[in-house]
Amino acid sequence: MNNFFFGIYPYIALSVMIFGSIARYERDPFTWKSSSSQLLRRKQLVLGSILFHVGVLTILVGHVAGLLTPVWIIDALGIGHAFKQVVAMTVGGIAGVMALIGGGMLFHRRWTDPRIRKTSSVADIGILGLLLLQLLLGVSTIFASARHLDGHEMLKFMHWAQGILTFRPDAAAQIADVALIFKLHIVCGLTIFLLFPFTRLVHMLSVPVRYFWRPGYQIVRSRRTTPLPSHSDAEIARAKVASAKAAPAGPRAPSLAE
């Protein structure tokens, strides 16, 4: 089971996430959205959304940098493994609590408001609940990590993640003896990757980079001090008739006699 969940399942989840997202964007581009419910109820949305998104983005950046940075680079920079783990626990713990509070507010809002719940799909509520479970598991790993402050356990996860990306057959063995809470956290995260293309999470990939090179717009305030003169309906009608007569005549349509 260890080899399946940590040696095979990661490739299944990542493959479905990548190719499923491409297929959805090509086949149903109009479903590629976050489906905001702000118009139905603004209360709890702003604060909850800010806490949730800032927390989750901080955790994602931390996980990517912490797991995928080669060990030799960390050693070359003179960063101790124990120090790196304490920083990860501190920053990750704060971001995790922020995301939990914000996600809890969003889940309560979506679950208890009749109008929002009516417009929410099973996937909307389910993926938010799964994200909250993942955050709870992640915060819980801090207590297990506190028993290994030398950074040795953290190295196991780095070797596992980098082994998965480099297709090493022994990657699953790197974390065979870690605590169960870490394994549950990894499996839940991989399941979120698996479900990613079928939920609103796809909006995370819609980074508006095109705004950097699109032509800009300039709004110019009029310096006119007096309002434009008003015109009656008759004057407007006469102007339209005169404009139509002045327009060049196009090709004449053939008559029935022709």
Side-chain angles (χ1 to χ4, degrees):
M1 294 299 290
N2 183 79
N3 186 61
F4 172 78
F5 281 113
F6 308 108
I8 299 175
Y9 190 46
Y11 295 112
I12 297 175
L14 291 173
S15 298
V16 172
M17 183 184 74
I18 294 172
F19 294 108
S21 298
I22 295 174
R24 177 174 176 178
Y25 188 81
E26 291 293 330
R27 181 171 180 174
D28 297 310
F30 293 107
T31 66
W32 193 281
K33 57 184 179 179
S34 61
S35 300
S36 174
S37 58
Q38 182 175 350
L39 292 176
L40 298 178
R41 180 184 175 188
R42 185 178 175 85
K43 187 178 181 181
Q44 290 183 293
L45 177 64
V46 177
L47 180 59
S49 181
I50 292 175
L51 289 174
F52 180 74
H53 285 88
V54 170
V56 168
L57 290 176
T58 302
I59 292 171
L60 284 177
V61 172
H63 276 61
V64 171
L67 292 175
L68 302 184
T69 302
V71 178
W72 65 267
I73 293 181
I74 296 176
D75 294 337
L77 294 175
I79 302 175
H81 299 302
F83 173 77
K84 179 176 180 293
Q85 178 161 325
V86 171
V87 171
M89 291 168 57
T90 304
V91 177
I94 295 173
V97 171
M98 287 176 55
L100 264 177
I101 295 174
M105 294 173 65
L106 296 177
F107 188 86
H108 175 268
R109 173 179 175 274
R110 187 169 292 278
W111 184 262
T112 59
D113 190 294
R115 293 191 302 169
I116 299 178
R117 188 172 179 182
K118 186 75 173 179
T119 59
S120 300
S121 65
V122 175
D124 293 337
I125 298 176
I127 196 63
L128 185 54
L130 191 60
L131 286 170
L132 289 176
L133 175 61
Q134 174 70 342
L135 289 168
L136 185 61
L137 290 172
V139 172
S140 300
T141 61
I142 296 176
F143 302 101
S145 299
R147 297 196 293 267
H148 305 278
L149 292 179
D150 57 353
H152 181 67
E153 290 290 292
M154 176 194 64
L155 288 176
K156 295 180 180 180
F157 297 110
M158 295 176 66
H159 291 314
W160 168 76
Q162 294 171 29
I164 290 296
L165 290 184
T166 55
F167 301 99
R168 289 178 54 184
D170 62 337
Q174 300 292 331
I175 57 174
D177 59 344
V178 300
L180 178 61
I181 188 69
F182 291 112
K183 294 185 177 182
L184 293 175
H185 183 55
I186 293 174
V187 171
C188 187
L190 293 173
T191 303
I192 292 174
F193 288 162
L194 183 74
L195 300 176
F196 184 91
F198 314 106
T199 66
R200 63 172 58 206
L201 291 182
V202 293
H203 79 278
M204 294 174 57
L205 301 178
S206 299
V207 181
V209 293
R210 65 185 182 87
Y211 286 99
F212 290 108
W213 61 75
R214 74 171 186 173
Y217 299 94
Q218 182 178 7
I219 299 176
V220 180
R221 186 184 297 275
S222 174
R223 296 186 179 182
R224 185 181 295 108
T225 57
T226 57
L228 290 172
S230 59
H231 298 281
S232 64
D233 294 340
E235 291 175 328
I236 295 175
R238 285 195 296 270
K240 289 182 178 180
V241 172
S243 177
K245 291 181 178 179
R252 185 175 62 86
S255 63
L256 294 178
E258 296 173 341

